[in-house]
């Protein structure tokens, strides 16, 4: 790549769009320390906090998605879109990027639309097996599409789509080497099993309710719990902190959390699924039912059908959680089987392959 490479990355709304973009930026900067990198997000969403924490500048657009149910907020959408297109033009005119990369989410729509209209090379990265509406619209004009699942060929032009996998943060590639360090950080007893519970950065009410119900069983079985309750629920559940239970609003060192865990309970966002494949620990997925196109259930089942993870819907939890989860806790054979099979589905070089495609675009 040339020394003064200029890159804009846009994606946000959820960690599933933000962290892949940060991973791509990190790889670009690793290869080319002189590269200028700018992020563009939705101004009231979590990317405005997480991107600066990762060491990058970000500009915010006044944009949000269309509500699926009838809402007064939808009346504002045309005004937000016009505003975001106008600001995107100003950002691109000022920054003069060599390439624009979108990882999904509201803000990437207007920005990539403007980039395409100005003949700037564009690349979109799709995390899910069923693409979101923003990327489906953008795919018609983007120069290159990097995807994680072959199912996307039903939606994207095959001639410009490549299966790379999802970007994974480099600090997760060797988590097993960090196990002792992680156990010290969380003050864990190495003789006891440790369960990591992840409901996303904001939290998952149903998963938190589930764990609350089973805290006495965890304690009776002498199981250690690292429980990310999420920002919205931490105050409600921090009362359960004990020698065996640790509650966290947010886990800043996910590499240590994964390294410390023996078994993981998680939502099934595309980014989480990709990370968990690389980490290679036994997982029980509880997909969120509140996402467009039922993405999470499709992501989880892509692993479960290959005996690489367990999946329970929220409706199945009351009847099946005890049998499925504690059956896994008590079966070293099942844990080993899931761990070996999920590792087979990992694409640990996804970030590097995506940046290879970026280099190819810029070189044309």
């Amino acid at each position: 790549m040339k020394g003064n490479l200029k890159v804009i990355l846009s994606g946000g709304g959820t960690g599933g769009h933000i962290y892949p973009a940060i991973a791509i930026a990190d790889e670009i900067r690793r290869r080319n320390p002189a590269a200028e990198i700018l992020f563009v997000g939705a101004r009231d969403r979590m990317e405005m906090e997480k991107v600066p924490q990762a060491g990058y500048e970000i500009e915010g657009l006044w944009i949000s998605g269309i509500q699926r149910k009838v809402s007064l907020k939808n009346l504002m959408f045309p005004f937000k879109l016009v505003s975001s297109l106008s600001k995107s033009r100003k950002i691109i005119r000022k920054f003069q990027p060599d390439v624009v990369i979108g990882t999904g989410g509201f803000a990437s729509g207007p920005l990539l639309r403007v980039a395409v209209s100005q003949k700037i090379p564009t690349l979109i990265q799709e995390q899910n097996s069923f693409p979101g509406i923003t990327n489906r619209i953008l795919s018609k004009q983007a120069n290159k599409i990097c995807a994680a699942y072959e199912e996307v060929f039903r939606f994207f032009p095959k001639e410009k789509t490549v299966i790379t996998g999802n970007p994974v943060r480099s600090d997760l590639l060797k988590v097993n080497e960090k196990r002792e360090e992680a156990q010290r950080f969380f003050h864990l007893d190495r003789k006891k099993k440790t369960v990591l519970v992840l409901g996303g950065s904001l939290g998952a009410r149903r998963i938190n309710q589930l764990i609350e119900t089973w805290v006495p069983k965890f304690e009776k079985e002498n199981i250690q719990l690292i429980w990310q309750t999420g920002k919205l629920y931490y105050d409600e559940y921090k009362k359960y902190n004990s020698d065996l239970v640790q509650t966290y609003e947010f886990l800043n060192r996910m590499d240590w959390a994964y390294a410390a865990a023996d078994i993981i309970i998680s939502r099934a966002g595309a980014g989480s699924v990709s990370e968990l494949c690389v980490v290679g620990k036994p997982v029980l997925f509880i997909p969120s039912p509140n996402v467009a196109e039922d993405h999470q259930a499709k992501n989880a089942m892509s692993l479960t059908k290959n005996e690489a993870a367990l999946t329970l819907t929220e409706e199945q939890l009351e009847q099946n959680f005890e049998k499925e989860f504690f059956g896994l806790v008590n079966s070293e054979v099942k844990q080993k089987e899931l761990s070996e099979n999920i590792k087979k589905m990992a694409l640990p070089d996804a970030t590097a392959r995506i940046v290879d495609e970026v280099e190819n675009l810029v070189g044309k």
Side-chain angles (χ1 to χ4, degrees), residues 130-141:
F130 194 102
I133 188 166
T134 300
N135 277 353
R136 271 185 276 165
I137 293 170
L138 293 171
S139 68
K140 296 176 176 63
Q141 294 177 299

Side-chain angles (χ1 to χ4, degrees), residues 104-125:
F106 315 135
S108 65
L111 188 83
L112 268 77
R113 263 294 169 87
V114 172
V116 165
S117 72
Q118 296 188 15
K119 304 293 190 293
I120 297 167
T122 54
L123 179 147
I124 60 175
Q125 195 271 322

Side-chain angles (χ1 to χ4, degrees), residues 178-194:
K178 305 178 183 181
R179 186 165 173 83
E180 288 188 15
E181 182 182 20
Q183 288 172 329
R184 285 195 300 271
F185 176 79
F186 289 108
H187 306 290
L188 298 171
D189 185 337
R190 297 178 188 179
K191 297 176 183 177
K192 297 175 183 177
K193 280 271 191 292
T194 300

Side-chain angles (χ1 to χ4, degrees), residues 80-286:
K80 290 182 177 182
L81 181 59
V82 170
S83 168
S84 295
L85 287 168
S86 175
K87 187 166 184 182
S88 293
R89 290 188 192 97
K90 291 176 184 176
I91 290 170
I92 286 176
R93 185 165 59 244
K94 180 180 178 182
F95 191 76
Q96 294 289 304
D98 298 296
V99 62
V100 175
I101 302 166
T103 59
F106 315 135
S108 65
L111 188 83
L112 268 77
R113 263 294 169 87
V114 172
V116 165
S117 72
Q118 296 188 15
K119 304 293 190 293
I120 297 167
T122 54
L123 179 147
I124 60 175
Q125 195 271 322
E126 174 56 54
Q127 298 98 36
N128 293 289
S129 56
F130 194 102
I133 188 166
T134 300
N135 277 353
R136 271 185 276 165
I137 293 170
L138 293 171
S139 68
K140 296 176 176 63
Q141 294 177 299
N143 297 100
K144 181 62 70 173
I145 303 159
C146 294
Y149 299 97
E150 292 184 355
E151 286 90 336
V152 301
F153 286 127
R154 290 187 292 143
F155 307 96
F156 295 155
K158 287 186 179 181
E159 68 277 5
K160 58 183 179 181
T161 302
V162 58
I163 304 300
T164 58
N166 281 324
V168 174
R169 289 170 284 185
S170 58
D171 61 357
L172 301 183
L173 297 179
K174 296 181 179 179
V175 294
N176 290 330
E177 297 177 8
K178 305 178 183 181
R179 186 165 173 83
E180 288 188 15
E181 182 182 20
Q183 288 172 329
R184 285 195 300 271
F185 176 79
F186 289 108
H187 306 290
L188 298 171
D189 185 337
R190 297 178 188 179
K191 297 176 183 177
K192 297 175 183 177
K193 280 271 191 292
T194 300
V195 173
L196 171 64
V197 180
L198 303 170
S201 53
L202 296 179
R205 174 169 290 282
R206 185 65 186 92
I207 290 180
N208 287 333
Q209 290 171 337
L210 171 78
I211 300 305
E212 181 179 36
T213 299
W214 290 102
V215 162
K217 172 83 167 177
F218 281 111
E219 293 178 333
K220 183 180 178 182
E221 298 280 336
N222 237 1
I223 295 170
Q224 299 170 128
L225 196 61
I226 300 172
W227 179 7
Q228 180 181 286
T229 63
K231 184 177 181 179
L232 298 178
Y233 304 105
Y234 177 70
D235 288 341
E236 185 177 349
Y237 293 103
K238 63 185 179 182
K239 63 186 178 186
Y240 289 104
N241 276 316
S242 68
D243 289 342
L244 287 172
V245 179
Q246 300 181 43
T247 61
Y248 294 88
E249 177 180 317
F250 187 79
L251 290 162
N252 288 310
R253 285 298 302 262
M254 282 306 304
D255 56 334
W256 282 347
Y258 286 137
D262 295 295
I263 297 171
I264 299 167
I265 297 172
S266 177
R267 284 300 201 201
S272 296
V273 170
S274 297
E275 288 185 355
L276 289 165
C277 288
V278 169
V279 168
K281 300 289 179 78
V283 183
L284 168 65
F285 287 116
I286 304 173

